[in-house]
Amino acid sequence: MDVDRADTPLDRWEQRAELPLFYASLLFLAAYSVRILAHDVDVVWREIAFATMLLMWLIFLADFVVRLRLSGQPLHRFLRTRWLDAVVLFLPLLRPLRLVKLYTTLQRRRDEPVLSLYARVIVYAGLGAVLLGWAGALAVYHAERTAPGATILTFGDAVWWVCETLTTVGYGDVTPVTAWGRIIAVGLMICGLALLGAVTGSFSSWLIQVFTREDERRPPGDRRPPGASS
Protein backbone atom coordinates (compact mmCIF):
# COMPACT_ATOMS: atom_id res chain seq x y z
CA MET A 1 0.00 0.00 0.00
CA ASP A 2 1.44 3.38 -0.98
CA VAL A 3 1.86 6.02 1.66
CA ASP A 4 1.22 9.61 0.70
CA ARG A 5 4.39 11.57 1.32
CA ALA A 6 2.30 14.59 2.27
CA ASP A 7 1.32 12.68 5.45
CA THR A 8 4.88 12.64 6.82
CA PRO A 9 5.74 15.19 9.52
CA LEU A 10 8.50 16.65 7.33
CA ASP A 11 6.15 17.25 4.40
CA ARG A 12 3.53 18.79 6.65
CA TRP A 13 6.15 21.14 8.06
CA GLU A 14 7.33 22.10 4.56
CA GLN A 15 3.78 22.84 3.44
CA ARG A 16 3.30 25.20 6.37
CA ALA A 17 6.75 26.80 6.36
CA GLU A 18 7.79 27.20 2.72
CA LEU A 19 5.73 30.32 1.94
CA PRO A 20 6.62 32.18 5.19
CA LEU A 21 10.27 31.30 4.57
CA PHE A 22 10.05 32.75 1.07
CA TYR A 23 8.72 36.01 2.54
CA ALA A 24 11.53 35.90 5.10
CA SER A 25 14.07 35.53 2.28
CA LEU A 26 12.62 38.60 0.55
CA LEU A 27 12.87 40.52 3.82
CA PHE A 28 16.47 39.38 4.19
CA LEU A 29 17.22 40.58 0.65
CA ALA A 30 15.55 43.94 1.34
CA ALA A 31 17.54 44.42 4.55
CA TYR A 32 20.76 43.46 2.75
CA SER A 33 19.90 46.01 0.06
CA VAL A 34 19.61 48.71 2.71
CA ARG A 35 22.97 47.73 4.21
CA ILE A 36 24.73 47.87 0.84
CA LEU A 37 22.99 50.77 -0.92
CA ALA A 38 21.90 53.19 1.79
CA HIS A 39 25.24 54.86 2.45
CA ASP A 40 23.83 58.20 3.54
CA VAL A 41 21.04 57.09 5.86
CA ASP A 42 21.26 57.35 9.63
CA VAL A 43 23.36 54.59 11.21
CA VAL A 44 20.31 53.48 13.21
CA TRP A 45 18.56 52.31 10.04
CA ARG A 46 21.63 50.39 8.96
CA GLU A 47 21.76 48.67 12.33
CA ILE A 48 18.05 47.86 12.08
CA ALA A 49 18.71 46.33 8.65
CA PHE A 50 21.57 44.26 10.11
CA ALA A 51 19.38 43.08 13.00
CA THR A 52 16.67 42.12 10.51
CA MET A 53 19.18 40.10 8.48
CA LEU A 54 20.38 38.33 11.64
CA LEU A 55 16.81 37.57 12.74
CA MET A 56 15.91 36.15 9.32
CA TRP A 57 19.04 33.99 9.35
CA LEU A 58 18.14 32.62 12.77
CA ILE A 59 14.72 31.73 11.35
CA PHE A 60 16.44 29.90 8.47
CA LEU A 61 18.64 28.09 10.97
CA ALA A 62 15.63 27.04 13.09
CA ASP A 63 13.89 25.75 9.95
CA PHE A 64 16.99 23.73 9.02
CA VAL A 65 17.13 22.16 12.49
CA VAL A 66 13.41 21.31 12.38
CA ARG A 67 13.77 19.69 8.96
CA LEU A 68 16.73 17.67 10.19
CA ARG A 69 14.86 16.45 13.27
CA LEU A 70 11.67 15.61 11.37
CA SER A 71 13.58 13.72 8.67
CA GLY A 72 14.83 11.23 11.26
CA GLN A 73 18.13 11.01 9.35
CA PRO A 74 21.68 11.51 10.61
CA LEU A 75 23.23 14.80 9.57
CA HIS A 76 25.51 13.38 6.86
CA ARG A 77 22.66 11.56 5.14
CA PHE A 78 20.36 14.57 5.40
CA LEU A 79 23.02 16.78 3.80
CA ARG A 80 23.50 14.27 1.00
CA THR A 81 19.81 14.25 0.08
CA ARG A 82 18.99 17.89 0.92
CA TRP A 83 22.22 19.68 0.16
CA LEU A 84 20.39 22.76 -1.17
CA ASP A 85 18.93 23.37 2.30
CA ALA A 86 22.48 23.62 3.69
CA VAL A 87 23.71 25.82 0.84
CA VAL A 88 20.94 28.41 1.23
CA LEU A 89 21.40 28.37 5.00
CA PHE A 90 25.02 29.53 4.76
CA LEU A 91 24.41 31.65 1.63
CA PRO A 92 20.93 33.15 2.20
CA LEU A 93 21.18 35.26 -0.96
CA LEU A 94 20.79 32.00 -2.91
CA ARG A 95 17.37 31.24 -1.43
CA PRO A 96 15.68 32.20 -4.74
CA LEU A 97 16.93 28.80 -5.94
CA ARG A 98 14.16 27.30 -3.79
CA LEU A 99 11.46 28.78 -6.03
CA VAL A 100 10.76 25.36 -7.54
CA LYS A 101 10.30 23.88 -4.07
CA LEU A 102 7.98 26.74 -3.14
CA TYR A 103 5.80 26.17 -6.19
CA THR A 104 5.71 22.41 -5.57
CA THR A 105 4.61 22.97 -1.99
CA LEU A 106 1.87 25.41 -2.98
CA GLN A 107 0.72 23.16 -5.82
CA ARG A 108 -0.09 20.37 -3.36
CA ARG A 109 -3.01 22.53 -2.20
CA ARG A 110 -4.55 22.47 -5.69
CA ASP A 111 -6.01 19.70 -7.80
CA GLU A 112 -4.60 20.87 -11.14
CA PRO A 113 -1.49 22.88 -12.03
CA VAL A 114 -2.16 26.57 -12.65
CA LEU A 115 0.47 26.71 -15.41
CA SER A 116 1.62 24.21 -17.99
CA LEU A 117 5.03 22.57 -17.62
CA TYR A 118 6.65 24.87 -20.17
CA ALA A 119 5.13 28.00 -18.63
CA ARG A 120 6.33 26.91 -15.18
CA VAL A 121 9.89 26.48 -16.41
CA ILE A 122 9.89 29.95 -17.97
CA VAL A 123 8.33 31.53 -14.86
CA TYR A 124 10.85 29.77 -12.59
CA ALA A 125 13.74 30.92 -14.77
CA GLY A 126 12.44 34.49 -15.00
CA LEU A 127 11.83 34.95 -11.27
CA GLY A 128 15.04 33.14 -10.41
CA ALA A 129 17.05 35.35 -12.78
CA VAL A 130 15.55 38.55 -11.33
CA LEU A 131 16.11 37.61 -7.67
CA LEU A 132 19.54 36.05 -8.21
CA GLY A 133 20.54 38.96 -10.43
CA TRP A 134 19.58 41.51 -7.77
CA ALA A 135 21.39 39.54 -5.06
CA GLY A 136 24.44 39.10 -7.28
CA ALA A 137 24.55 42.80 -8.13
CA LEU A 138 24.45 43.71 -4.43
CA ALA A 139 27.16 41.21 -3.55
CA VAL A 140 29.55 42.16 -6.35
CA TYR A 141 29.01 45.89 -5.72
CA HIS A 142 29.85 45.35 -2.04
CA ALA A 143 33.00 43.42 -2.96
CA GLU A 144 34.23 45.68 -5.75
CA ARG A 145 33.32 49.32 -5.13
CA THR A 146 36.33 50.15 -2.93
CA ALA A 147 38.87 47.77 -4.50
CA PRO A 148 41.99 49.25 -6.17
CA GLY A 149 41.63 49.25 -9.94
CA ALA A 150 37.93 48.35 -9.77
CA THR A 151 35.67 49.06 -12.76
CA ILE A 152 32.42 48.28 -10.92
CA LEU A 153 32.13 51.54 -9.03
CA THR A 154 28.36 52.11 -8.85
CA PHE A 155 25.36 49.88 -8.32
CA GLY A 156 24.34 50.63 -11.90
CA ASP A 157 27.67 49.18 -13.05
CA ALA A 158 26.96 46.08 -10.94
CA VAL A 159 23.47 45.61 -12.44
CA TRP A 160 24.85 46.02 -15.97
CA TRP A 161 27.61 43.49 -15.25
CA VAL A 162 25.10 40.98 -13.84
CA CYS A 163 22.93 41.31 -16.97
CA GLU A 164 25.99 40.66 -19.13
CA THR A 165 26.99 37.66 -17.04
CA LEU A 166 23.59 35.96 -16.67
CA THR A 167 22.93 36.27 -20.40
CA THR A 168 26.47 34.97 -21.12
CA VAL A 169 27.22 38.06 -23.26
CA GLY A 170 30.20 39.42 -21.35
CA TYR A 171 31.25 42.61 -23.12
CA GLY A 172 34.21 43.02 -20.78
CA ASP A 173 33.67 46.75 -20.22
CA VAL A 174 33.28 46.14 -16.48
CA THR A 175 34.82 43.14 -14.74
CA PRO A 176 35.43 42.09 -11.12
CA VAL A 177 38.99 42.37 -9.86
CA THR A 178 38.67 40.96 -6.32
CA ALA A 179 38.69 37.27 -5.38
CA TRP A 180 35.15 37.43 -3.97
CA GLY A 181 33.92 39.29 -7.02
CA ARG A 182 35.29 36.59 -9.30
CA ILE A 183 33.78 33.82 -7.16
CA ILE A 184 30.41 35.57 -7.49
CA ALA A 185 31.03 35.82 -11.24
CA VAL A 186 31.60 32.07 -11.56
CA GLY A 187 28.39 31.35 -9.66
CA LEU A 188 26.39 33.71 -11.85
CA MET A 189 27.89 32.19 -15.02
CA ILE A 190 26.77 28.73 -13.92
CA CYS A 191 23.30 29.99 -12.98
CA GLY A 192 23.04 31.93 -16.24
CA LEU A 193 23.86 28.88 -18.34
CA ALA A 194 21.39 26.75 -16.38
CA LEU A 195 18.56 29.29 -16.63
CA LEU A 196 19.19 29.98 -20.31
CA GLY A 197 19.32 26.26 -21.06
CA ALA A 198 16.08 25.65 -19.17
CA VAL A 199 14.22 28.38 -21.04
CA THR A 200 15.52 27.52 -24.53
CA GLY A 201 15.00 23.79 -23.96
CA SER A 202 11.46 24.32 -22.70
CA PHE A 203 10.62 26.66 -25.58
CA SER A 204 12.00 24.19 -28.13
CA SER A 205 10.00 21.34 -26.59
CA TRP A 206 6.85 23.48 -26.69
CA LEU A 207 7.37 24.25 -30.39
CA ILE A 208 7.91 20.56 -31.16
CA GLN A 209 4.74 19.68 -29.26
CA VAL A 210 2.73 22.32 -31.13
CA PHE A 211 3.98 21.15 -34.53
CA THR A 212 3.36 17.51 -33.60
CA ARG A 213 -0.25 18.27 -32.67
CA GLU A 214 -0.77 20.14 -35.94
CA ASP A 215 0.71 17.21 -37.83
CA GLU A 216 -1.64 14.77 -36.07
CA ARG A 217 -4.69 16.88 -36.97
CA ARG A 218 -3.91 16.94 -40.70
CA PRO A 219 -5.76 14.54 -42.98
CA PRO A 220 -3.86 11.45 -44.16
CA GLY A 221 -1.82 12.15 -47.30
CA ASP A 222 -1.41 15.86 -46.57
CA ARG A 223 2.37 16.40 -46.80
CA ARG A 224 2.43 20.16 -46.30
CA PRO A 225 4.77 21.34 -43.55
CA PRO A 226 3.08 22.29 -40.25
CA GLY A 227 1.74 25.85 -40.26
CA ALA A 228 1.48 26.04 -44.06
CA SER A 229 -1.64 27.77 -45.39
CA SER A 230 -4.28 25.90 -47.38
Side-chain angles (χ1 to χ4, degrees), residues 73-125:
Q73 297 176 331
L75 179 60
H76 69 278
R77 185 176 299 173
F78 181 82
L79 292 177
R80 191 166 58 228
T81 57
R82 291 177 174 265
W83 57 270
L84 184 59
D85 290 345
V87 170
V88 299
L89 173 64
F90 292 104
L91 298 173
L93 291 178
L94 295 181
R95 288 196 73 89
L97 293 175
R98 292 185 60 87
L99 276 174
V100 174
K101 182 64 177 178
L102 172 65
Y103 181 88
T104 302
T105 300
L106 295 178
Q107 189 56 52
R108 290 177 181 173
R109 304 175 185 177
R110 301 175 180 269
D111 296 328
E112 296 293 336
V114 176
L115 301 174
S116 68
L117 173 62
Y118 306 116
R120 291 201 301 270
V121 171
I122 293 174
V123 169
Y124 296 154

Side-chain angles (χ1 to χ4, degrees), residues 47-196:
E47 292 304 319
I48 290 174
F50 178 76
T52 301
M53 292 171 57
L54 180 60
L55 177 59
M56 294 304 102
W57 188 83
L58 290 175
I59 291 174
F60 300 150
L61 176 61
D63 170 68
F64 181 84
V65 173
V66 170
R67 290 173 192 260
L68 175 61
R69 293 292 301 273
L70 293 178
S71 71
Q73 297 176 331
L75 179 60
H76 69 278
R77 185 176 299 173
F78 181 82
L79 292 177
R80 191 166 58 228
T81 57
R82 291 177 174 265
W83 57 270
L84 184 59
D85 290 345
V87 170
V88 299
L89 173 64
F90 292 104
L91 298 173
L93 291 178
L94 295 181
R95 288 196 73 89
L97 293 175
R98 292 185 60 87
L99 276 174
V100 174
K101 182 64 177 178
L102 172 65
Y103 181 88
T104 302
T105 300
L106 295 178
Q107 189 56 52
R108 290 177 181 173
R109 304 175 185 177
R110 301 175 180 269
D111 296 328
E112 296 293 336
V114 176
L115 301 174
S116 68
L117 173 62
Y118 306 116
R120 291 201 301 270
V121 171
I122 293 174
V123 169
Y124 296 154
L127 289 176
V130 169
L131 293 175
L132 283 174
W134 181 262
L138 290 170
V140 80
Y141 175 59
H142 179 62
E144 294 287 317
R145 63 189 177 90
T146 58
T151 57
I152 302 175
L153 302 176
T154 67
F155 185 64
D157 293 336
V159 172
W160 171 247
W161 173 81
V162 165
C163 292
E164 292 179 345
T165 305
L166 282 177
T167 56
T168 68
V169 174
Y171 286 115
D173 51 346
V174 287
T175 56
V177 297
T178 65
W180 277 115
R182 290 172 178 173
I183 291 172
I184 295 167
V186 171
L188 286 177
M189 291 174 194
I190 294 172
C191 291
L193 288 172
L195 293 171
L196 187 62

